[in-house]
C-alpha cells in the first residue's frame, strides 16, 4: 500500500494511471486535481487491498 506522502509525490498522470488503469476506480471530485485521486486511493477498498 502507498502512504499518503508517496501518493503526493506522484504526478497527476501517474495518479490517474494508478487509479484508472491499475485499480479501475474514478477520481472523487475534480479529475484535474491530484487530491481527488489521492482521496479515492485512500478510501477505496479495492485500491487498499491491491497496494
Amino acid at each position: 500500500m502507498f502512504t499518503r506522502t508517496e501518493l503526493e509525490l506522484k504526478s497527476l498522470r501517474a495518479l490517474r494511471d494508478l487509479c484508472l488503469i491499475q485499480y479501475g476506480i474514478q477520481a472523487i471530485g475534480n479529475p484535474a486535481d491530484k487530491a481527488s485521486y489521492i482521496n479515492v486511493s485512500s478510501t477505496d477498498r479495492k485500491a487498499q487491498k491491491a497496494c
Side-chain angles (χ1 to χ4, degrees):
M1 180 178 284
F2 294 99
T3 65
R4 185 169 188 90
T5 303
E6 290 172 324
L7 292 171
E8 289 171 351
L9 294 173
K10 293 185 177 297
S11 67
L12 178 60
R13 180 179 209 129
L15 288 169
R16 187 194 66 208
D17 290 348
L18 182 71
C19 288
L20 293 176
I21 296 170
Q22 194 165 355
Y23 303 123
I25 53 178
Q26 298 287 328
I28 296 174
N30 182 359
D33 183 16
K34 285 174 62 170
S36 298
Y37 292 103
I38 293 169
N39 290 337
V40 74
S41 62
S42 301
T43 58
D44 189 271
R45 294 257 188 238
K46 186 179 3 175
Q48 288 176 353
K49 288 179 183 175
C51 288

